[in-house]
Every structure is written in C-alpha cells, then in structure tokens.
C-alpha cells in the first residue's frame, strides 16, 4: 500500500465515522511566536483543544505538515526526518477513550477500510500512573476488551516492564506515556501502538525498552487523551471537556506496513533518491538521504512562505539548504542540481499539496538561488575552516565563518565533529546576538519549543492589525498584492506579501493612515462560519492554492459581511473592536518600522502599535 493510499484510507475511515476532513495548516504557525514550525498535528489546533469551538465541528481528521529540526545530525539514519506528515483524528470534547481505541484497532487491522495489519503483531503501551496522575485503568480495560474479542492475548506487563508470551499491554510512566508539546498547554496520558517487525523470531520477550531499541517493535500511532492544561506555573488544570489527539507518522507507517526497515525505502522517497542518484558519482547512501530529506523539507517550507535568511524560520531553511549543498558535493552532484531535486519533490507531492504546483517555479528558483549564493563562499570558507581547525574553534572564528562565508553554526559544529574538535558555541551565540535585532529573550523563547500564549492581548491586537494591513495594502498597491507569510510576536507584526518594487514613503504613509482611521472608527470585529462555497463567494481573502476544509471561519471588520472593510478566512483569535488596537489609553498608532525585500518580488513589512 503506497503513501497516498494510506492518506486517503485514513481520511475516509474517519470521515465515515463523522469526522470533518480539515486541511493541513501551513508549516509556520500564524499566531504562535514561541515555535518556529508546527511540530505536531495538535499545534495548530491548540485553541480548540483548550475549548474554543471549531467551525468544522467536534470530530476532525487531517494530515498535518510538521517540521522537527532538533536532531539534524541524526538525519540520514533510518528514522529521523526534518519534515514529516502526521495523520490525526481529533475529538474536541466529543468521544473519548473507548471510541478512539476501538477505531485505532479497526483502522489498523481492517482489510477493507484500513491497513489490514495482522492483529497478532500489535502491542500497546498505556500510562501507568505517576506524579499524582492516576493509572489509566480505563485504557487497559478497553484494550483488553478489544483484544479478547479478537482472540488475542491480553496480559499486562508488570512494574519490571518485561515482555513474555501473552503480554500485549505495557504500562509505562510519564517519560513515555504522557504527552505535552513543549512545557505548557493541553496534555494527558497516552496509549501508543507498536508493530512487531520480526514475528518470525517468535514471541516478543525481554525488557520493553530493549525490544524497542532493537527496532523489533516500532511505534506507529499515538492516542493522547487530553484531560489537562498545564499552566506556566506548572499546575495541571482539568479541561472542561477532554479531547482525543492522535498522531500517526505517515512515513514510518508506510515503511512498516510495506515491510521496509526504513522510511527512505518507501515511495515517499524513492523517486527523490533515484533523481539524486542520476546526478551522483558516489554511492554514499547517507549523503543521498540527507539531500533528499533536506530538499523535501525546503520545498515545503518555501511553499509555506519561508525564505532563506539568518533568523527564525529563514535560518532553519538556510541551514538545511546549505547542509544539502555540502552533501551534494560529497556525492559529486553538479552545481545547480538541487533545482532538479526540488522539481522531483514537487512532482511527487503536488497532487495532495496543490500549493506546491501553483508555486513550483518560485520554490525551485529560491532553492537554486540559495545554492548559488552559498557556493560563492563555500570553497574559500572550507579553506578558512581548515586553517582554524588546528585547534578548537573559537567564538570569533565560528562567527567569522558565519558572517563572511555563510557557514551556519550547525555546519561548523558538524565539520568540527568530523575532525574531533570542539566549537565555542555559547561564545558564538553571544557574538551572534550582538548582531541581531532579536533580543536574547526572543531567541530563547523561540527555541524552547513551548506553545504560544495565543491569548496574549498584544498578539491578538497584532493579529487584527495584520488583517487591516493586508486590506490597506490592497487599497494602496492594487489587487496584485498577495499574502506570503505572517509572523507575530508580542512586540511587532511582520507581514510578507508579493509586490514588485519598494514602497514609496507616500504609499507607506497612506497605508498607516488607512489603518489608523479604521482604528479610530472603532469598528467591530465579527466572525461567521460558512460552507466553503458560500465562503468563497463572499470574496473574503484566502491563500490561493491552499486547501481549506468544508466549513470556513471568516473574520470581518465591520458591522456586516457585505460592507465589511476586511474579510479573511481565519481561525482567530481577534479583538472585539478595532479600538482595542489603540491600547488601554486609546493613544497608540499603527506604524510601519521597515519595508524591505525578502526575495524577488516579495516584500516584508514590520510594524508596531505604539
Ligand atoms: N500529539 C501526539 C504526537 O505528536 C499525538 O498526535 O505524538
């Protein structure tokens, strides 16, 4: 079964069980300054997991694009990827453990509607109870019931976590079976489903962790039973209604059910790796995997509005692309071939992610440009590195490799590792921060990986201001303006849009004036939910080429939709009235701080309310 059949089957299985199919949110969280990318399916759904009503209803199913770049060094082994897709079904205060567990079992084992896996090869972990949170006896009983009905063994492992014949359920502690993204937010105990990749070895025996480390049992699906919200103070508040958050990694599942021992052997990667081989003069498999992974991630990031830069998401993209260039060199790939690898990635994925085909040329150009840019300094930079690599790399040398030769710090670290020397990373960071507009606090927040306080009043104000800005830019610059990206912190908004030239001072002033007028007019911000066709007819702004669900939430500024000043497809949150943008004393004004190019035909505005 190939990956696109798995996607389709999953969505269809849950659609038939009352779930609305919702599209993936873009990779870059819109209103969450604390994470650079969505790292799990639940992230874009946090407001709804905390109780907000979702326009599509209480049962959702999706395939969410995710990026995790924590262990970039591990990429190229069997399991680690920087970009991946997560299949998930969601109950927002609707069904709970019984339905979730039964459906998981049914989807995995049903030959007609699901993956048709052999039930005998499934094992599950559950939350054993720890740190004042009780053992999940419900999940244990439900699993036992399911297994018994299907003629399977139902024994539960003891405190020693040892598997022996008959044991199918393994209770584990918070480290393994309690799920939270970062440090705060919706969370709860979970049950993870594992697949036996080597049944020919006979019954699974031994300590659970060893069996997993030997890759005999591989986790394929996680069902989180979200019952709490962990606050910044570290307390667990009970949610008004518990949710179900499930996550099944598409790549890993595709590998496992096709009997492949790694994700790179699946249809998700084979065309990309074959293309890389065409351009290579070496058989270095790890290098091929690195290039495949990084270009795939880069294509999706650029498709969602990220461009290579030295900060934030742009930096992550830059570091992936530059690492890809170095590995392409190891493979003897011709200069400029990453462009063609990107083309293959787009071919492979654009059926499902249609924005990739509408944006095809821009994505390829962006990758090509970054490759050429880096090549101008790579060779000299490597020589320079060799010169300083006679001893550990000092902060000053690491910084000069970065600023003069474009070496991302991770690349310097990686090169140093290959030589068995160290880099003064802390020193580098200090040096780096001195040169950045980002405050140290800002940078730390971004790398902590916690969840946004989407309820922060400043962020909400900037979110509404972004809508006003989007419309005002249309008013002043014409209909050709399209949103390319948005990022909000408590200190400013940032908005990327397509436009061919630098804005004049007069145009900037006009945009500011329009927005300040809308603030002064104290206009209400309203929201409606409409079926997609009707929503499109309203003329509300949305991303061309982006997939939307069947029920659309529209936010509009004004008393009614027909006469609204701004209308956009959007999940919120927003202020209730534009007057709130003027701050508590009604004195703030909207001000554009900066207007600059981020790439060919894409401009960036940074603006504040002050
Ligand atoms: N949030 C859980 C995970 O990412 C399940 O979706 O594993």
């Amino acid at each position: 079964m190939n990956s696109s059949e798995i996607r389709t089957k999953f969505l269809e299985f849950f659609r038939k069980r009352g779930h609305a199919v919702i599209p993936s949110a873009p990779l870059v969280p819109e209103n969450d300054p604390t994470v650079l990318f969505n790292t799990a399916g639940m992230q874009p759904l946090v407001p709804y997991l905390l109780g907000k009503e979702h326009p599509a209803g209480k049962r959702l199913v999706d395939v969410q694009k995710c990026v995790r770049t924590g262990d970039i060094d591990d990429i190229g082994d069997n399991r680690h990827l920087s970009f991946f897709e997560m299949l998930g079904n969601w109950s927002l205060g609707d069904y709970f453990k019984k339905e979730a567990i039964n459906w998981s079992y049914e989807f995995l084992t049903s030959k007609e509607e699901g993956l048709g896996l052999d039930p005998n090869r499934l094992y599950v972990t559950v939350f054993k109870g720890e740190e004042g949170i009780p053992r999940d006896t419900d999940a244990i009983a439900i699993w036992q019931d399911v297994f018994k009905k299907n003629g399977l063994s139902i024994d539960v492992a003891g405190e020693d976590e040892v598997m022996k014949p008959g044991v199918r359920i393994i209770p584990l502690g918070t480290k393994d079976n309690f799920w939270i993204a970062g440090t705060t937010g919706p969370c709860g105990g979970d049950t993870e489903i594992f697949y036996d990749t080597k049944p020919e070895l006979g019954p699974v025996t031994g300590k659970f962790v060893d069996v997993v480390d030997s890759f005999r049992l591989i986790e394929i699906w996680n069902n989180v039973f979200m019952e709490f919200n962990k606050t910044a103070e570290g307390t667990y508040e009970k949610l008004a209604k518990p949710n179900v958050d499930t996550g099944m990694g598409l790549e890993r599942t595709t590998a496992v059910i096709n009997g492949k021992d790694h994700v790179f052997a699946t249809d998700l990667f084979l065309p990309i790796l074959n293309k890389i081989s065409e351009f290579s003069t070496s058989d270095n498999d790890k290098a091929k995997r690195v290039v495949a992974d990084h270009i795939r991630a880069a294509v999706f990031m650029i498709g969602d509005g990220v461009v290579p830069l030295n900060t934030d998401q742009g930096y992550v993209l830059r570091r992936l692309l530059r690492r890809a260039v170095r590995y392409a060199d190891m493979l003897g790939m011709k200069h400029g071939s990453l462009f063609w690898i990107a083309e293959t990635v787009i071919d492979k994925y654009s059926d499902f992610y249609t924005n990739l085909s509408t944006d095809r040329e821009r994505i390829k150009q962006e990758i090509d440009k970054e490759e050429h840019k880096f090549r101008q300094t790579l060779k000299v930079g490597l020589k320079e590195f060799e010169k300083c690599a006679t001893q550990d790399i000092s902060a000053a040398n690491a910084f000069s490799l970065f600023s003069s030769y474009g070496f991302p710090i991770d690349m310097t670290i990686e090169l140093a590792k290959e030589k068995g020397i160290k880099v003064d990373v802390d020193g580098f960071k200090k040096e780096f921060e001195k040169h950045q507009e980002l405050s140290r606090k800002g940078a730390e927040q971004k790398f902590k990986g916690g969840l946004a306080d989407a309820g922060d009043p400043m962020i909400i104000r900037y979110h509404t201001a972004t809508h006003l800005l989007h419309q005002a830019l249309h008013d002043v610059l014409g209909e050709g303006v399209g949103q390319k990206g948005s990022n909000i912190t408590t200190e400013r908004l940032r908005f990327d849009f397509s436009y061919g030239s630098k804005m004049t001072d007069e145009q900037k002033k006009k945009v500011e004036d329009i927005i300040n007028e809308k603030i002064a007019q104290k206009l209400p911000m309203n929201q409606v939910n409409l079926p997609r066709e009707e929503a499109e007819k309203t003329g509300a702004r949305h991303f061309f080429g982006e997939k939307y669900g069947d029920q659309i939430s529209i936010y509009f500024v004004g008393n009614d939709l027909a006469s609204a000043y701004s209308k956009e497809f959007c999940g919120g949150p927003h202020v209730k009235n534009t007057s709130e943008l003027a701050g508590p004393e009604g004195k703030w004004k909207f001000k554009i701080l900066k207007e600059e190019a981020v790439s060919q035909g894409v401009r960036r505005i940074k603006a504040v309310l002050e």
Side-chain angles (χ1 to χ4, degrees):
M1 196 181 291
N2 68 29
S3 56
S4 52
E5 286 169 274
I6 299 175
R7 276 198 211 98
T8 311
K9 281 211 157 181
F10 186 83
L11 295 174
E12 195 47 27
F13 181 92
F14 285 99
R15 198 189 58 76
K16 277 201 185 144
R17 286 157 183 80
H19 294 64
V21 179
I22 58 162
S24 172
L27 273 176
V28 180
E30 274 220 300
N31 307 307
D32 184 344
T34 61
V35 284
L36 295 174
F37 295 100
N38 284 317
T39 59
M42 50 84 68
Q43 238 145 9
L45 292 170
V46 168
Y48 310 104
L49 294 166
L50 292 175
K52 191 180 157 187
E53 208 169 301
H54 193 286
K58 294 190 165 112
R59 295 183 181 190
L60 311 175
V61 60
D62 64 3
V63 184
Q64 174 63 43
K65 299 178 264 191
C66 301
V67 160
R68 291 183 191 172
T69 51
D71 318 320
I72 199 170
D73 285 358
D74 289 336
I75 289 165
D77 71 4
N78 293 347
R79 292 164 309 139
H80 289 87
L81 294 172
S82 49
F83 169 87
F84 62 98
E85 295 171 75
M86 208 160 200
L87 309 169
N89 57 291
W90 310 88
S91 160
L92 302 175
D94 189 46
Y95 62 82
F96 205 37
K97 298 179 187 175
K98 186 158 179 215
E99 291 85 343
I101 289 177
N102 274 278
W103 285 333
S104 291
Y105 179 85
E106 202 182 335
F107 180 73
L108 291 173
T109 58
S110 162
K111 289 206 171 63
E112 297 75 39
E113 285 190 277
L115 304 182
L117 298 181
D118 174 0
N120 242 316
R121 293 169 71 170
L122 299 178
Y123 294 81
V124 300
T125 60
V126 293
F127 182 54
K128 77 169 182 187
E130 220 173 46
E131 297 176 24
I133 306 168
R135 183 180 182 86
D136 197 347
T137 48
D138 291 344
I140 296 177
I142 297 166
W143 274 122
Q144 285 187 312
D145 190 46
V146 173
F147 290 145
K148 204 169 176 177
K149 267 198 302 223
N150 289 284
L152 302 167
S153 64
I154 58 163
D155 292 354
V156 180
E159 269 295 313
D160 58 4
E161 298 167 8
V162 167
M163 317 260 313
K164 25 185 181 259
V167 167
R168 199 171 288 282
I169 301 170
I170 306 96
L172 301 173
T174 38
K175 191 170 102 354
D176 297 292
N177 282 66
F178 191 88
W179 208 90
I180 184 161
T183 48
T184 60
C187 55
D190 66 38
T191 176
E192 299 183 3
I193 306 170
F194 288 74
Y195 186 67
D196 181 4
T197 60
K198 299 193 185 76
E200 65 278 8
L201 298 181
V204 183
T205 53
K207 209 167 158 65
F208 182 74
V209 55
D210 298 332
V211 180
V212 172
D213 282 349
S214 73
F215 299 117
R216 170 147 188 196
L217 288 186
I218 295 204
E219 186 211 331
I220 50 177
W221 201 350
N222 187 8
N223 276 224
V224 184
F225 304 121
M226 289 184 162
E227 295 181 76
F228 309 101
N229 176 32
K230 190 171 181 194
T231 64
E233 291 75 45
T235 55
Y236 293 93
E237 288 170 350
K238 198 119 182 136
L239 291 173
K241 286 188 188 154
N243 309 298
V244 176
D245 149 19
T246 89
M248 168 151 55
L250 178 67
E251 290 79 1
R252 205 189 281 182
T253 304
T254 309
V256 156
I257 74 165
N258 286 296
K260 308 286 182 198
D261 55 7
H262 57 82
V263 291
F264 293 99
T266 65
D267 72 282
L268 288 161
F269 281 99
L270 286 178
I272 308 170
L273 290 166
N274 288 340
K275 196 70 183 177
I276 294 169
S277 295
E278 270 177 42
F279 284 96
S280 304
T281 53
S282 144
D283 284 333
N284 182 338
D285 278 337
K286 174 175 172 184
K288 286 182 189 172
R289 293 171 186 178
V290 169
V291 174
D293 171 88
H294 290 9
I295 298 301
R296 191 175 78 128
V299 162
F300 277 95
M301 288 180 184
I302 300 169
D304 281 346
V306 183
V307 288
L309 289 172
N310 283 339
T311 50
D312 301 345
Q313 288 90 354
Y315 172 70
V316 177
L317 171 61
R318 169 158 281 170
R319 117 186 187 211
L320 287 174
L321 283 173
R322 296 191 169 191
R323 192 165 186 259
V325 171
R326 199 165 79 80
Y327 277 84
D329 279 355
M330 286 182 204
L331 289 165
M333 291 172 76
K334 274 204 311 275
H335 293 190
S337 35
L338 297 183
F339 178 93
W340 299 105
I341 310 307
E343 166 104 346
T344 308
V345 174
I346 297 170
D347 287 343
K348 170 74 201 164
Y349 284 89
S350 53
D351 275 355
F352 194 73
Y353 297 102
T354 47
N355 70 311
L356 297 182
S357 59
T358 41
D359 230 2
R360 179 184 286 269
E361 289 315 312
R362 189 183 65 85
I363 295 172
K364 283 164 34 189
Q365 292 302 341
E366 208 57 77
I367 288 178
D368 198 46
K369 233 170 44 192
E370 183 67 9
E371 174 174 355
H372 286 292
K373 195 180 215 170
F374 188 42
R375 286 200 181 286
Q376 287 169 7
T377 55
L378 174 61
K379 239 183 161 165
V380 193
L382 284 172
K383 273 202 197 119
E384 211 45 45
F385 173 83
E386 289 300 328
K387 268 197 227 154
C388 31
T390 49
Q391 52 190 25
D392 287 352
I393 311 278
S394 67
N397 281 341
F399 191 76
S400 131
L401 283 167
F402 164 75
S403 58
S404 311
Y405 306 103
F407 281 32
I409 183 69
D410 306 79
M411 180 177 293
T412 304
I413 296 171
E414 195 172 352
L415 288 165
K417 231 192 220 166
E418 287 166 16
K419 285 211 171 292
I421 55 175
K422 289 204 181 70
V423 182
D424 179 0
V425 180
D426 287 341
F428 169 85
K429 279 189 188 152
K430 280 194 197 116
E431 203 62 33
F432 181 76
E433 271 158 19
K434 265 195 255 157
H435 293 79
Q436 294 298 318
E437 57 179 294
L438 261 183
S439 67
R440 168 178 278 273
K441 191 166 157 279
E444 272 171 10
Q445 258 177 11
K446 280 192 194 326
F447 290 104
K448 237 178 15 208
L451 278 168
D453 189 1
D456 185 288
M458 231 25 241
I459 287 179
I460 296 177
R461 285 190 186 106
Y462 278 130
H463 189 196
T464 306
T466 301
H467 281 215
L468 291 174
L469 173 63
H470 192 181
Q471 183 56 40
L473 287 169
H474 273 275
D475 294 353
V476 175
L477 304 177
E479 280 304 308
V481 169
Q483 172 165 353
K484 285 284 170 217
S486 158
N487 170 278
I488 294 169
T489 70
T490 51
E491 273 133 46
R492 53 118 184 98
L493 69 80
R494 198 179 80 193
F495 188 73
D496 295 351
F497 58 102
S498 49
Y499 187 62
S501 51
K502 190 166 175 56
M503 286 174 74
T504 63
D505 287 345
E506 199 189 325
Q507 287 170 329
K508 283 189 270 186
K509 173 86 173 39
K510 257 195 194 155
V511 167
E512 287 175 344
D513 287 349
I514 295 176
I515 297 170
N516 285 317
E517 186 191 304
K518 300 298 165 196
I519 296 173
Q521 285 171 353
K522 304 189 184 341
L523 298 168
M525 184 70 161
N526 283 304
Q527 190 264 349
V528 279
N529 292 328
L530 292 174
R532 185 173 49 214
E533 269 189 22
E534 265 177 67
E536 280 168 358
K537 281 194 206 126
T538 65
R541 302 203 179 284
H542 53 281
F543 284 104
F544 179 68
E546 185 69 56
K547 280 198 196 161
Y548 287 94
D550 294 331
Q551 279 292 321
I552 308 285
S553 158
I554 296 180
Y555 271 89
F556 61 96
V557 175
N559 288 307
D560 57 78
L561 194 53
S563 68
Y565 173 66
S566 130
K567 26 189 169 173
E568 285 194 29
F569 286 22
C570 177
H574 283 281
V575 299
K576 295 216 159 41
N577 191 291
T578 57
S579 61
E580 292 171 46
L581 273 54
E585 289 165 32
K587 288 194 192 137
W588 294 349
K589 291 267 183 279
F590 179 88
K591 234 167 92 187
I592 295 178
L593 294 185
K594 222 178 186 181
E595 189 274 340
E596 60 187 348
V598 266
S599 66
Q600 186 74 37
V602 180
R603 313 288 308 173
R604 166 168 292 179
I605 282 181
K606 284 192 185 152
V608 290
L609 290 163
E610 61 175 32

